[in-house]
Amino acid sequence: MRFHRMNVALVPRNAFNCLDLAIRFYGRFLIPLLKLWAVFALPACLLVYLLSYYFLIEMKTAITVAYFFSSPLGVLLTWNSALFSFGETQGMGSIKRLFQPPLIRLMLRCLFDRVLLFIGPALLFYTDSFLTSMLGIFYLFIPGIWLAFRNGFRVEQASLKQIGIAGQQENSHDHRTKDLISTHFSTLFWRGTWTFFFCYILTCVLFITFDYLCYTLLDFNILIGQMPYALDPDNIGDPISNALLLMSSDPRVLTVFTGFILLIYPIGRLAWFFTYLDLRVRYDCWDMELRMAEVSQRLTRREAAL
C-alpha cells in the first residue's frame, strides 16, 4: 500500500468522529449507495408487504427481514469503503462487479453469523414460553454479545487481506484483533450501543418526516393520514392507540419503515468500519506499523536494484 494514495487518514477518532465521517461518506457516494440500497431494499420491502398483507405479520417480523437483508448490504458497503479508504479504488464499485465469488462466500459467512446471533431474539420474541424467553435473554448476553463483537470485524479483516495489508500471517495485523476486542470490549460495546441508538433515532425521525410530507404534499396516507384527528391535541389518546395498531399491522407502514431501516443502516455500518480503524490506530499503533512496513519495502527494493 502507499500512504499518499489513502483517502482516509489513520488518526484516532471517537464515536462522534466516526459517525461524522460515515455521514460524509454517505453524502459523497450518495448515488452509488442508493443503487446498492435499492438492490436489497426493494426485495426486502416487497417481502414485508406480501407477508403483512397475506399473513398479518407484526413489526418484529419486518425488523427481522431488514436484519437479514442488511447483512449482504453491509458486506458490500464495507468492502468497497475499505478499498476506497486505502486508495485501491477511486469510488464505489459498480453493481455488476460487486457480486464476485469471494464476496458471495463472504456474504454467506456473515449471513451465517447473523443466524447464530439471531437465536437469542428468536427465542425471546417468537415464543410464548417463559422458559424459552429467559433462555433467549441469557443467549443475548452469553454468547450473543461476544459473538456480535467477535465476528463484527470479519468483513474489515477480509477486505484488508484482499488489499494485501494482512496477506501473510507473520505480517498480519488481524491476528491481534481478538486481543484488542477482549481488552477494549467495554469501549466497543458503548460505541456500538451509541451508534445503534443514533441510527434508530434517525430512522424514526426520517420516517415521520417522510410520512408527514407524503400526507401534506402528496395526499398519500402512510401512518399520519390514517389516524383521524392526528394533529388535534384534544384527541391525542386515539391517535396514539391507532399509531401503535398501524405500526404493528399495516402493510404500508411496515414496508416503508423497512425501507428506512435499510436506508440508514449504511451510516451505522460505515461508523463501525471507522471504529475498527480507530481501534487499530489508537491501541495498536497501526499507522506507525504500516508506515514502517512501507519504508522497509522501499529500502528492500532499492537494495535489490543496486
Side-chain angles (χ1 to χ4, degrees):
M1 64 161 294
R2 298 291 184 270
F3 273 85
H4 66 271
R5 292 166 48 187
M6 291 192 62
N7 295 304
V8 174
L10 292 179
V11 296
R13 293 184 175 89
N14 57 30
F16 295 98
N17 297 143
C18 291
L19 278 170
D20 178 68
L21 188 56
I23 295 174
R24 292 182 61 186
F25 252 65
Y26 199 105
R28 177 168 182 176
F29 300 107
L30 180 60
I31 300 302
L33 281 175
L34 289 179
K35 293 180 181 178
L36 187 61
W37 167 82
V39 171
F40 297 98
L42 293 181
C45 291
L46 178 61
L47 178 61
V48 168
Y49 184 84
L50 294 177
L51 290 176
S52 59
Y53 188 83
Y54 290 104
F55 299 99
L56 303 178
I57 65 170
E58 299 179 354
M59 177 63 75
K60 60 183 180 183
T61 305
I63 295 177
T64 301
V65 172
Y67 169 79
F68 284 107
F69 271 86
S70 66
S71 178
L73 172 61
V75 170
L76 297 180
L77 176 65
T78 307
W79 184 277
N80 281 272
S81 300
L83 295 182
F84 174 78
S85 298
F86 286 87
E88 296 297 317
T89 59
Q90 297 301 316
M92 303 292 290
S94 62
I95 300 298
K96 293 182 179 179
R97 288 185 352 207
L98 293 179
F99 293 92
Q100 302 175 0
L103 276 177
I104 294 177
R105 290 193 295 268
L106 182 60
M107 284 189 285
L108 293 176
R109 181 61 186 274
C110 293
L111 196 59
F112 177 73
D113 293 338
R114 289 284 182 104
V115 172
L116 290 180
L117 188 61
F118 187 70
I119 293 176
L123 293 175
L124 180 61
F125 296 111
Y126 289 94
T127 58
D128 298 328
S129 172
F130 176 79
L131 181 60
T132 55
S133 298
M134 291 297 100
L135 183 61
I137 295 176
F138 180 79
Y139 189 93
L140 284 174
F141 292 94
I142 304 174
I145 295 179
W146 179 83
L147 285 174
F149 288 100
R150 172 64 178 81
N151 302 322
F153 296 126
R154 184 183 301 279
V155 184
E156 285 81 355
Q157 295 175 357
S159 59
L160 295 180
K161 183 177 181 180
Q162 173 70 19
I163 296 172
I165 294 178
Q168 301 295 330
Q169 182 62 30
E170 60 270 20
N171 297 324
S172 174
H173 307 282
D174 296 323
H175 69 278
R176 293 193 294 271
T177 302
K178 297 179 182 178
D179 297 332
L180 291 174
I181 292 176
S182 301
T183 305
H184 305 283
F185 182 83
S186 59
T187 300
L188 291 174
F189 175 80
W190 289 115
R191 282 203 178 195
T193 302
W194 159 248
T195 302
F196 173 81
F197 179 75
F198 175 83
C199 292
Y200 172 77
I201 295 298
L202 184 60
T203 300
C204 293
V205 169
L206 291 182
F207 170 77
I208 295 174
T209 303
F210 179 79
D211 181 24
Y212 181 75
L213 292 177
C214 288
Y215 170 65
T216 56
L217 300 180
L218 303 177
D219 197 23
F220 179 75
N221 299 330
I222 299 176
L223 178 61
I224 297 178
Q226 298 189 71
M227 297 186 301
Y229 310 107
L231 303 179
D232 187 357
D234 297 331
N235 298 284
I236 193 63
D238 291 337
I240 291 178
S241 60
N242 291 337
L244 294 176
L245 178 62
L246 290 171
M247 291 185 66
S248 63
S249 60
D250 187 77
R252 280 174 290 181
V253 175
L254 297 180
T255 301
V256 175
F257 193 75
T258 301
F260 272 100
I261 291 176
L262 295 175
L263 184 65
I264 302 302
Y265 172 78
I267 296 179
R269 191 61 186 87
L270 286 171
W272 190 244
F273 167 68
F274 295 127
T275 298
Y276 174 77
L277 297 185
D278 172 71
L279 180 72
R280 302 307 308 275
V281 171
R282 187 185 298 270
Y283 301 112
D284 204 20
C285 299
W286 197 25
D287 52 337
M288 297 175 60
E289 184 178 353
L290 292 177
R291 286 186 181 276
M292 287 187 291
E294 181 186 14
V295 173
S296 176
Q297 293 175 1
R298 289 180 180 177
L299 294 177
T300 301
R301 286 195 297 267
R302 288 182 181 179
E303 291 177 357
L306 293 175

